Amino acid sequence: MSNGPYGQIACGCGALSLLVCGDPLGLGEDAGGEPVAFWPLSAIQIGQGAEELALLQDDRGGEAWRCGRCDERLLYGDDEAGVAVLAGLPEDSDGPGVALTAAQRRRLEALGYRVLAGR
């Protein structure tokens, strides 16, 4: 467990929760224009319900992390970029991060995400 900042996301039925530790690598939008945050995959920890976690291969090459009980998708993980994409913005976000590498940015943009420039 991290001693730094963290957030928690949970599925609607409450069977699965994930902890997100640290700060996002950057902010962006999905193909529908909805806000997303990009986190290192290593920042994701299972809070509860590990037995309910279902990793489903996505046609883009990554994995959708879903609850096996209610089928809600909690995040999209891309091993090639080493990034987890979570819907919404962190509560304490003061603007886009600038820690994404050029290779990560290219991969995320190829997946259909719009990466916002740092402020």
Side-chain angles (χ1 to χ4, degrees):
M1 176 60 75
S2 169
N3 288 333
Y6 73 95
Q8 184 174 8
I9 56 174
C11 65
C13 75
L16 175 63
S17 69
L18 303 174
L19 300 175
V20 183
C21 302
D23 294 311
L25 297 171
L27 304 176
E29 296 176 344
D30 66 14
E34 295 297 318
V36 295
F38 307 112
W39 297 81
L41 273 173
S42 60
I44 309 300
Q45 300 175 15
I46 298 173
Q48 73 177 28
E51 66 280 357
E52 296 295 344
L53 178 62
L55 300 176
L56 303 173
Q57 291 297 315
D58 185 273
D59 59 356
R60 299 177 290 181
E63 296 174 322
W65 293 31
R66 295 185 172 272
C67 173
R69 189 175 296 175
C70 69
D71 202 36
E72 181 177 343
R73 183 180 119 177
L74 297 179
L75 65 85
Y76 171 79
D78 188 80
D79 286 331
E80 183 177 325
V83 172
V85 181
L86 283 79
L89 298 176
E91 288 182 19
D92 59 353
S93 175
D94 59 358
V98 294
L100 287 168
T101 67
Q104 287 172 319
R105 287 178 66 96
R106 283 191 302 273
R107 174 67 178 161
L108 291 166
E109 289 169 352
L111 292 171
Y113 295 103
R114 179 173 168 251
V115 178
L116 299 177
R119 292 184 188 153

